[in-house]
Amino acid sequence: MKQEPGTIIRIERQPGTTARYRVIIEGCEPVSVHEDVLVKMRLTKGRRVDPVEIDAVLEEEERNKVWQAALKYLQYKPRTALEVERYLIGKGFAAPHVRAAMDKLNRYGYIDDRRFAAAWVEQRRGNGRGRLLLRKELEQKGIAADIIDEVLAEVPEEADQELARSLAEKRYERLRRYPWPTVERRLGHYLLRRGFPQSLVYSILQSYRERHRDS
């Protein structure tokens, strides 16, 4: 049955919430909206609204739900654009509303893949990750190839070599009592898993082969 224009006769804060309101409209079903929607749509007591305006309010409420979900998801730790988009789609939100939320997050600087990638590289290098593993991790996060190239280019090759040799030294101290074939296999696999290139791993193993033989 077609609704007739009605007057907002009461606006109530919903129990147990801090930002949601129940809008009571004469002759219509009550509408539950977020505070942001209440303000944006200028819903005030005494205002007359018709069915088209009510539909617009409900549509804005759906967009706001997506926005609030995105903000909550970003609250716990930084995310990439792809991670946020996948999360929102997984929640079942409509694609147009997801796109609108993503555009807004980018405009406000809440997501920045370049900034995320730089912070990721800095943190993970501190945990002993080589550039090959870092590249793989960033690709899995949905970071664009050009951003990955740019961020990894800021890590000097010498720094990667120094990190690999430092990790190798610590691991070798735990393996030195074993025969060389065992040391070579375990140490080599360890460095490769950490994301260092085969050429560098081979060079490091060569130096430890001589050292192990003389020990």
Side-chain angles (χ1 to χ4, degrees), residues 3 50-60:
Q3 295 176 330
D50 60 29
V52 173
E53 290 174 307
I54 294 174
D55 287 343
V57 169
L58 295 175
E59 184 71 9
E60 183 61 32

Side-chain angles (χ1 to χ4, degrees):
M1 183 174 65
K2 185 177 178 180
Q3 295 176 330
E4 295 298 328
T7 300
I8 297 176
I9 57 177
R10 191 164 68 254
I11 298 176
E12 306 170 339
R13 185 186 296 274
Q14 292 186 215
T17 69
T18 58
R20 296 201 62 80
Y21 290 82
R22 190 164 177 260
V23 181
I24 313 299
I25 304 171
E26 185 180 18
C28 304
E29 289 292 325
V31 176
S32 176
V33 298
H34 190 273
E35 184 177 42
D36 292 347
V37 177
L38 192 75
V39 174
K40 182 175 182 178
M41 303 303 289
R42 299 178 181 177
L43 301 177
T44 56
K45 182 179 178 180
R47 178 186 165 188
R48 292 185 63 80
V49 290
D50 60 29
V52 173
E53 290 174 307
I54 294 174
D55 287 343
V57 169
L58 295 175
E59 184 71 9
E60 183 61 32
E61 172 62 20
E62 284 302 305
R63 282 193 290 268
N64 188 266
K65 284 180 181 178
V66 183
W67 175 246
Q68 295 299 327
L71 292 181
K72 186 175 181 180
Y73 187 57
L74 288 167
Q75 179 179 348
Y76 302 104
K77 66 177 184 178
R79 315 274 186 177
T80 66
L82 182 61
E83 287 178 319
V84 177
E85 185 176 14
R86 283 175 174 172
Y87 172 77
L88 295 176
I89 291 174
K91 298 288 284 185
F93 294 121
H97 295 157
V98 172
R99 287 195 296 270
M102 295 301 298
D103 289 344
K104 191 174 178 182
L105 289 169
N106 276 297
R107 286 199 311 272
Y108 289 1
Y110 290 149
I111 50 177
D112 184 330
D113 281 359
R114 173 64 174 77
R115 184 177 63 212
F116 178 97
W120 183 270
V121 167
E122 181 178 1
Q123 177 191 5
R124 302 292 276 183
R125 271 184 57 77
N127 293 332
R129 264 63 170 180
R131 64 176 64 237
L132 295 180
L133 182 54
L134 290 171
R135 179 179 294 277
K136 182 179 179 180
E137 290 176 342
L138 290 173
E139 287 173 347
Q140 291 172 341
K141 292 286 184 180
I143 303 295
D146 59 332
I147 295 178
I148 296 176
D149 290 341
E150 182 181 341
V151 170
L152 290 179
E154 296 175 359
V155 180
E157 187 173 340
E158 296 78 10
D160 218 37
Q161 294 173 355
E162 182 180 343
L163 176 60
R165 295 185 186 282
S166 174
L167 292 171
E169 181 64 22
K170 293 177 182 178
R171 182 52 60 110
Y172 177 72
E173 288 301 316
R174 297 165 57 181
L175 298 172
R176 62 189 310 161
R177 69 181 184 275
Y178 294 104
W180 172 247
T182 301
V183 175
E184 182 179 39
R185 184 181 69 255
R186 293 187 181 181
L187 183 57
H189 288 171
Y190 171 74
L191 294 174
L192 290 172
R193 288 196 306 271
R194 285 281 173 167
F196 298 102
Q198 287 186 346
S199 58
L200 176 57
V201 173
Y202 179 77
S203 174
I204 292 173
L205 289 177
Q206 283 287 88
S207 65
Y208 278 100
R209 179 183 290 111
E210 298 172 6
R211 177 175 165 182
H212 196 76
R213 183 183 57 204
D214 297 337
S215 63

